[in-house]
């Protein structure tokens, strides 16, 4: 009669060696100076207004299809500035040598004519990573 040989697994031995090494490793880690967290770069997006840029609308309210004059500063010199009304492109302009533009006429899209009077919207101005916005209230 042949006896079957049972193999012993090395797993319990490896596990016990690893477990016995934990206290020693913890002691070494306690003596190691803490590393500072890695630096993370912050990138501006159109969703986050730039603190350097400013946008103003005149008037601050009006009806769909009406004209609004936009002025701004803090944009890249000679940069193309794209204007949006609630995310819909409504025009563009080129900033001057110091990053300003003044009284650029744009129209509120007619497609917002069904909005209730008093509905607040956002007019935005973007040039590369620079973005600013201003509120606009739709009237009848």
């Amino acid at each position: 009669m042949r006896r079957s040989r049972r193999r012993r697994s090395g797993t319990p031995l490896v596990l016990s060696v690893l477990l016995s090494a934990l206290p020693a490793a913890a002691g070494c880690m306690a003596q190691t100076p803490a590393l500072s967290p890695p630096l993370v770069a912050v990138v501006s997006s159109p969703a986050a207004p730039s603190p350097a840029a400013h946008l103003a609308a005149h008037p601050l309210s009006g009806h769909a299809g009406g004209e609004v004059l936009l002025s701004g500063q803090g944009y890249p010199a000679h940069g193309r500035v794209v204007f949006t009304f609630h995310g819909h492109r409504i025009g563009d302009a080129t900033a001057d040598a110091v990053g300003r533009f003044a009284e650029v006429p744009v129209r509120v899209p007619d497609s917002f004519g069904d909005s209730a009077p008093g509905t607040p919207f956002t007019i935005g101005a973007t040039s590369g990573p620079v973005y600013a916005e201003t509120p606009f209230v739709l009237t009848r």
Side-chain angles (χ1 to χ4, degrees):
M1 170 186 241
R2 192 171 170 182
R3 275 181 130 172
S4 65
R5 290 176 121 185
R6 291 177 106 189
R7 273 193 185 181
R8 286 190 166 195
S9 170
T11 304
L13 178 61
V14 171
L15 187 57
S16 65
V17 169
L18 288 175
L19 289 175
S20 65
L22 281 176
C28 290
M29 289 172 52
Q31 296 171 359
T32 304
L35 299 176
S36 60
L39 295 176
V40 177
V42 176
V43 179
S44 178
S45 72
S50 171
H54 176 74
L55 177 65
H58 181 74
L60 296 174
S61 62
H63 62 278
E67 186 176 87
V68 180
L69 300 176
L70 301 177
S71 298
Q73 63 184 19
Y75 291 88
H78 306 289
R80 183 170 153 241
V81 182
V82 176
F83 304 117
T84 57
F85 184 90
H86 198 64
H88 294 82
R89 185 177 173 169
I90 56 173
D92 60 72
T94 302
D96 64 13
V98 292
R100 294 182 183 159
F101 55 88
E103 298 185 352
V104 177
V106 295
R107 292 224 174 264
V108 175
D110 288 324
S111 59
F112 290 92
D114 292 338
S115 300
T119 302
F121 289 97
T122 300
I123 297 176
T126 306
S127 182
V130 179
Y131 174 77
E133 60 187 29
T134 188
F136 185 84
V137 177
L138 207 59
T139 61
R140 285 270 177 213

